[in-house]
Amino acid sequence: MTTHDSAGAPKAPAKDPWDLPDVSGLTVGVLGGTGPQGRGLAYRLARAGQRVTIGSRDAARAAEAAAELGLGVEGTDNAACALRSDIVIVAVPWEGHAKTLESLRAELAGKLVVDCVNPLGFDKKGAYALKPEEGSAAEQAAALLPDSRVTAAFHHLSAVLLQDPGIDEIDTDVMVLGETRADTDIVQALAGRIAGMRGVFAGRLRNAHQVESLVANLISVNRRYKAHAGLRATDV
Amino acid sequence: MTTHDSAGAPKAPAKDPWDLPDVSGLTVGVLGGTGPQGRGLAYRLARAGQRVTIGSRDAARAAEAAAELGLGVEGTDNAACALRSDIVIVAVPWEGHAKTLESLRAELAGKLVVDCVNPLGFDKKGAYALKPEEGSAAEQAAALLPDSRVTAAFHHLSAVLLQDPGIDEIDTDVMVLGETRADTDIVQALAGRIAGMRGVFAGRLRNAHQVESLVANLISVNRRYKAHAGLRATDV
C-alpha cells in the first residue's frame, strides 16, 4: 500500500508488521478436519469465534466430527468445504496431499490456502524429514493449485494440546510463510485469533521445507522431555 | 548408565534430561573463530569462564582476534587449536567447511566436534537453504571425521548479540543434535554455561538439515521485524 507523506509526495514507509487485518468475519475450512491436527485447529478457531467447516473425504464422518466439536462447526465433504470457505487449511496426511489437492483445484481457485502438512517418515530411530520433489508440501500445493493463494503455517502445534478443552492458551508462535504479504498477514491474523498464539512471518515458500520438517526435531524434543513442545521466536 | 531399584534388581530408569555434566574444566576451540559467529561464541564462552582458543587458517589473525577479546582467549592456527581443545566448535564459512575438516582429520580424532555451520545461499529474494550431498553440514562433518564425536548446535544465534558486550544474557534455546547422549549432554551443558542460554536435545544428525537451514527463516524474521530473533522451545 502506498501512503503519502506530509508534503503529499508518494512514499512507502515500512508498514508495521503487527498491523494485521480483521479476519473475524472469514469462514475457515479445514481439509482433513477429522484427523487430530485438523480437528484441533478447527476446535481452536471455532472457540476463538471463527466460523469453521470441517472437510473430509467422507461427509458423514466430517458431520460427526463437527457435531462432537460443537461451537457451530459444520462438516461436509472436502469439495463443499473448500467452496464455502474463504481460508482453507490443508491438514490431510502427507500421503494423500497431492491427490487431494489435485482433485480440488477448481474448488480452491481464488481461495487462501494454508498448508500445514509435515512430510515425515518414521522408523525405529524416530521421525525424519521427507523431501518432496517440489521442495516442500507447501510448494507442492502451490504447483498443484496455480489459481489459489498458497501459504504455509501451523506446522509446529501439538494436536494433543489443541484438542484439550482444559487448556485455555496455546503458548506458541506460528511461523507463516508465503509469497504475498496480504495473504501472510491474513494467516498471521488468523493464528493470532487463537488464545496464546501469535503468527510470525517467517519467509517465502522456498523456505518451507525446513519449517515443515522441523517437526521431526520437535518429536525428539517431546520424547526426551516428555513435553508437547512449541516454538517462540525471541526478540520479536 | 544402569542403576538398581530398591530390591537391587538392575533397572534403567529414564535419566533426568537436565542432569548434565560439569564441563567447566574443558577447553573449547573455535575453528573459524575470527568470523562473526565464531568470535561471538568464543566471547560468550570465555565470559562464562570457559577456557577458549580461537583457530584460524592464519595464526596471526587468530592471535589478534583473541587479544581483542581478552578474557584469557588464545589464538592459533586451526590445527593447533583442534589439538589442544576437548570440544571443538566448527564455525567456518560453509564454503570452506569440507576442506577445513578434511585437513584436520588427525587433529580432530577423539574430539567432541560441534558443528554450527548453516549452508545457505543468497539471492535477490533473500536467503535459502543449500542441501549438502551428505544431508547437512553436520552429516558432512561426521562423514569426513570418522574418528571424531560429531554433534551439531549453536545454529540460531545472532552474531550481533553474541558479540555485544552490553548484552548480558542471550535469550535463546540451543538445539543440540547428535548420535550419542553422553556427547549431546556435554554440548547442552556447554550451551547452558552462557547466561540466558539453554541447550535442548533436538534429535539425531539426520535431522540436522532443517535446523541448519532454519536460519534462512530467521533471516526473514529479522528483516520483517528488525530483530535478532532466537528460538525458545515451549513446554520444555
Side-chain angles (χ1 to χ4, degrees):
Chain A
M1 195 166 47
T2 304
T3 57
H4 293 259
D5 69 13
S6 57
K11 201 185 166 191
K15 193 189 157 197
D16 178 349
W18 299 116
D19 180 13
L20 301 172
D22 176 9
V23 297
S24 59
L26 300 182
T27 298
V28 180
V30 184
L31 305 182
T34 57
Q37 185 79 355
R39 205 187 171 88
L41 277 169
Y43 171 66
R44 288 291 152 185
L45 289 167
R47 190 168 151 169
Q50 211 75 30
R51 188 168 170 175
V52 177
T53 300
I54 278 178
S56 169
R57 274 177 305 182
D58 179 345
R61 279 192 61 209
E64 196 183 325
E68 280 169 28
L69 288 177
L71 301 164
V73 177
E74 298 183 87
T76 180
D77 62 88
N78 280 329
C81 168
L83 268 181
R84 72 160 70 162
S85 302
D86 304 301
I87 305 176
V88 182
I89 297 175
V90 181
V92 300
W94 166 240
E95 293 66 34
H97 186 260
K99 210 176 157 186
T100 303
L101 296 184
E102 231 163 11
S103 72
L104 297 171
R105 189 175 296 178
E107 291 83 353
L108 290 170
K111 308 291 184 179
L112 176 49
V113 171
V114 189
D115 203 300
C116 70
V117 173
N118 307 302
L120 295 181
F122 294 87
D123 63 17
K124 281 182 187 174
K125 292 184 168 183
Y128 58 93
L130 298 177
K131 178 89 170 182
E133 208 181 305
E134 297 84 354
S136 60
E139 286 162 292
Q140 184 183 80
L144 294 172
L145 304 171
D147 301 323
S148 303
R149 299 137 60 202
V150 175
T151 64
F154 299 118
H155 303 89
H156 303 148
L157 306 175
S158 157
V160 173
L161 299 185
L162 288 177
Q163 293 184 95
D164 184 341
I167 291 172
D168 292 328
E169 299 208 343
I170 305 292
D171 173 24
T172 189
D173 285 342
V174 168
M175 296 188 188
V176 178
L177 296 95
E179 301 301 312
T180 306
R181 177 141 183 192
D183 292 337
T184 54
D185 277 359
I186 290 172
V187 179
Q188 286 182 249
L190 187 69
R193 296 267 293 155
I194 297 174
M197 225 180 257
R198 180 177 69 156
V200 175
F201 175 73
R204 293 174 180 273
L205 292 188
R206 68 174 180 175
N207 284 317
H209 172 62
Q210 55 265 30
V211 173
E212 295 172 358
S213 49
L214 198 68
V215 174
N217 303 86
L218 293 179
I219 289 172
S220 292
V221 170
N222 289 344
R223 200 165 164 176
R224 174 67 56 92
Y225 300 97
K226 305 193 193 319
H228 299 291
L231 289 174
R232 282 278 186 208
T234 58
D235 196 40
V236 172
Chain B
M1 196 168 43
T2 304
T3 58
H4 294 259
D5 69 11
S6 56
K11 202 186 164 190
K15 191 189 159 199
D16 178 348
W18 299 116
D19 180 14
L20 300 172
D22 176 8
V23 298
S24 58
L26 300 182
T27 298
V28 181
V30 184
L31 305 181
T34 56
Q37 184 79 355
R39 204 186 172 89
L41 276 169
Y43 171 66
R44 287 292 153 184
L45 289 166
R47 190 168 150 169
Q50 212 75 29
R51 188 166 171 176
V52 177
T53 299
I54 278 179
S56 168
R57 276 176 304 182
D58 179 344
R61 279 191 61 207
E64 196 183 326
E68 279 169 28
L69 288 178
L71 300 163
V73 176
E74 298 183 87
T76 179
D77 63 89
N78 280 330
C81 168
L83 267 181
R84 72 160 71 163
S85 302
D86 304 300
I87 304 175
V88 181
I89 296 174
V90 181
V92 300
W94 165 241
E95 293 66 35
H97 186 259
K99 209 176 158 187
T100 303
L101 295 184
E102 231 164 9
S103 73
L104 296 172
R105 189 174 295 179
E107 291 84 351
L108 289 171
K111 307 292 185 178
L112 176 49
V113 171
V114 188
D115 203 297
C116 70
V117 173
N118 306 303
L120 295 181
F122 294 87
D123 62 17
K124 280 181 187 175
K125 293 185 169 184
Y128 57 93
L130 298 177
K131 178 88 170 182
E133 208 181 307
E134 298 82 356
S136 61
E139 286 163 290
Q140 184 182 82
L144 294 172
L145 305 171
D147 302 323
S148 303
R149 298 138 58 203
V150 175
T151 64
F154 299 118
H155 303 90
H156 304 148
L157 306 175
S158 157
V160 173
L161 299 185
L162 288 177
Q163 293 182 94
D164 184 342
I167 291 172
D168 292 329
E169 299 207 344
I170 304 293
D171 173 25
T172 190
D173 285 342
V174 169
M175 295 188 189
V176 178
L177 295 95
E179 301 301 312
T180 305
R181 177 140 182 191
D183 293 337
T184 54
D185 277 359
I186 290 172
V187 179
Q188 285 182 249
L190 186 69
R193 296 267 293 157
I194 297 174
M197 224 180 260
R198 180 177 69 156
V200 175
F201 175 73
R204 293 175 181 273
L205 292 188
R206 69 174 180 175
N207 284 317
H209 171 62
Q210 54 265 31
V211 173
E212 295 172 357
S213 48
L214 199 68
V215 173
N217 303 86
L218 293 178
I219 289 171
S220 291
V221 170
N222 289 343
R223 199 165 164 176
R224 173 67 58 93
Y225 300 97
K226 306 193 192 319
H228 300 290
L231 289 173
R232 284 277 186 207
T234 56
D235 196 41
V236 172

